Amino acid sequence: MAGKRAIPRLSLPEVIANDLRERILSGDLAEGETIRQENLAEEYEVSRMPIREALKRLDAEGLVNLTTNRGATVTKHSLAEMGEIFDLRTLLEVDLFRRAIPLMTESDFARSTKILDQMEESYDADDVSRWGALNYNYHSALYSAAGRGLTNELLQRINLQTDRYVRMNLSVMKQREPAKEEHRKLLTLAQQGRTEEACTLLADHIKRTKEQLLQMVAAKREAEDP
């Protein structure tokens, strides 16, 4: 007889937090938007208690600003803060990639290739939400051989702050081929053991994304509040 299989059981606050997180990352809840607990309680057909717990989780992740007796708002980063977040990504990701490449195995390359193929499918299907998740998974696969758990946890939190902006950029970006080509080349250079070239390309890749996003967000905010 087969053994018992554990099935993850999510609490109600976890379910709500997961849904709200995706709504924030997808732009359904815009930066700076006020989140009213009573409205969410009615929308999710629950009491305010699980709503408060869900918002506390998102506040800890930096996606919302929760203040006592004043409700919550979706976090709105300044342009300087956004730039700083991408600079932190560069520091952490390049370090992880440099450590990982010499340790990567055929299994690592195969997993990265599989995710990359799925990413390219999502590009072609214009599935921005799926691409956002796959993009994170792909970069994580490239760095996993480094075995740096604490750094990866920190990077996950930082990436959560940029994911919605990256999705915004992808949704309006006309030329997606350069991003596709860079992702493919990162893997090729890693397979060839060309560590410094791969790390230079990764740094340039993040910098280009940063510059595009800052320009896009600045223009969007100026249009909304001239």
Side-chain angles (χ1 to χ4, degrees):
M1 180 181 293
K4 295 181 179 179
R5 298 178 64 87
I7 299 175
R9 297 181 182 276
L10 299 180
S11 66
L12 186 55
E14 285 177 308
V15 173
I16 295 172
N18 289 343
D19 189 60
L20 287 174
R21 184 185 302 107
E22 180 56 33
R23 291 173 66 180
I24 291 171
L25 297 179
S26 67
D28 180 46
L29 292 173
E31 58 177 11
E33 183 172 340
T34 299
I35 300 175
R36 302 192 182 282
Q37 295 184 32
E38 60 271 23
N39 291 349
L40 289 180
E42 183 177 346
E43 185 177 350
Y44 287 105
E45 298 183 328
V46 297
S47 69
R48 292 191 188 184
M49 183 174 294
I51 298 296
R52 282 195 297 270
E53 289 302 314
L55 290 175
K56 286 180 181 178
R57 293 169 189 247
L58 298 178
D59 179 67
E61 294 174 4
L63 290 178
V64 304
N65 294 316
L66 183 62
T67 54
T68 305
N69 300 323
R70 296 184 62 184
T73 57
V74 178
T75 300
K76 181 177 181 178
H77 293 293
S78 68
L79 295 179
E81 288 171 335
M82 289 178 59
E84 182 179 355
I85 290 170
F86 276 92
D87 291 342
L88 287 171
R89 276 190 54 185
T90 301
L91 289 172
L92 295 177
E93 292 191 43
V94 170
D95 179 68
L96 285 171
F97 203 24
R98 180 174 284 111
R99 293 174 184 274
I101 290 174
L103 302 175
M104 293 179 76
T105 65
E106 288 304 317
S107 176
D108 294 314
F109 294 135
R111 183 158 63 96
S112 299
T113 299
K114 181 179 180 180
I115 298 172
L116 186 57
D117 290 340
Q118 294 172 337
M119 282 179 66
E120 293 181 350
E121 289 175 5
S122 70
Y123 265 120
D124 297 336
D126 200 29
D127 189 342
V128 175
S129 177
R130 183 167 181 259
W131 181 91
L134 289 170
N135 180 62
Y136 176 77
N137 292 341
Y138 175 65
H139 281 271
S140 296
L142 289 178
Y143 314 147
S144 64
R148 308 278 283 188
L150 294 176
T151 306
N152 274 309
E153 287 180 15
L154 182 58
L155 181 60
Q156 183 177 12
R157 177 180 170 85
I158 291 171
N159 269 300
L160 200 58
Q161 307 306 311
T162 62
D163 188 19
R164 55 181 161 152
Y165 299 113
V166 172
R167 292 192 195 188
M168 284 168 56
N169 188 47
L170 185 67
S171 66
V172 300
M173 189 167 60
K174 303 301 181 183
Q175 297 296 327
R176 301 181 183 180
E177 289 304 315
K180 291 173 63 175
E181 292 172 4
E182 287 175 0
H183 279 125
R184 180 67 65 178
K185 191 172 182 180
L186 286 172
L187 179 56
T188 298
L189 291 173
Q191 289 173 312
Q192 295 172 348
R194 295 158 64 182
T195 303
E196 291 308 314
E197 291 177 66
C199 289
T200 298
L201 176 60
L202 177 60
D204 290 342
H205 174 73
I206 298 173
K207 180 181 178 182
R208 182 179 59 81
T209 303
K210 167 189 168 182
E211 291 173 346
Q212 288 181 342
L213 283 170
L214 289 177
Q215 184 177 11
M216 179 200 69
V217 173
K220 181 175 182 292
R221 291 180 181 177
E222 184 177 354
E224 292 173 346
D225 187 20

